[in-house]
Amino acid sequence: MRRTAAKAPAAAPPQTAAVGADFPRSAPAAAPTEAPADPAPRRELVTEFPFELPRGYVDESGTVHRDGVMRLSTARDELVPLRDVRVQENPAYLSVVLLGRVITRLGTLTMVHDGIVENMFASDLAFLQDFYRQINAEGHTRAAVQCPHCSEPFEVELGGSRLGES
């Protein structure tokens, strides 16, 4: 294949602009270059987290289900329950509806929903609320603080606020 020299481009016609307008001029496109090698390997985003309930959910046949998986919450997961009549009548019900949306597996149950969550033992519900906060808050709910008396730094656990609230 034979290469020929490229012809010089013809002068572009002058552009008209509104009085007082100052349009930025773009620089000519640079030749593509190879992307620099990424020295740090990318970490995959983990969106599902396994858990084990302290007591376990007991289904209607008496089977205890303890191991499960919870996925990260989306904005939709936190907004949709707010339209639920049960949540509007009793805001404490928000955590039950929200957990019913984000728990993807529990033992051998074919489906997990808010009806399952509302029939869990209180200790398991408290565990799931704390676990939800932990995985949706960059992996922990601790904050670095400093003692007002001795100025010694330490961490405190921020868990304890209602689920779905920041």
Side-chain angles (χ1 to χ4, degrees), residues 59-122:
D59 66 16
E60 61 279 347
S61 66
T63 304
V64 179
H65 304 273
R66 293 186 70 198
D67 61 314
V69 175
M70 184 183 295
R71 66 174 173 76
L72 287 178
S73 178
T74 64
R76 182 179 195 83
D77 290 323
E78 294 206 0
L79 293 171
V80 168
L82 298 175
R83 294 186 294 213
D84 191 304
V85 175
R86 299 168 296 180
V87 173
Q88 291 173 353
E89 291 175 357
N90 181 3
Y93 205 77
L94 173 62
S95 64
V96 172
V97 178
L98 186 52
L99 289 170
R101 293 180 61 88
V102 298
I103 297 172
T104 59
R105 186 180 64 75
L106 184 60
T108 58
L109 297 174
T110 57
M111 190 167 124
V112 181
H113 50 80
D114 52 16
I116 301 282
V117 177
E118 71 183 353
N119 286 306
M120 289 183 173
F121 295 112

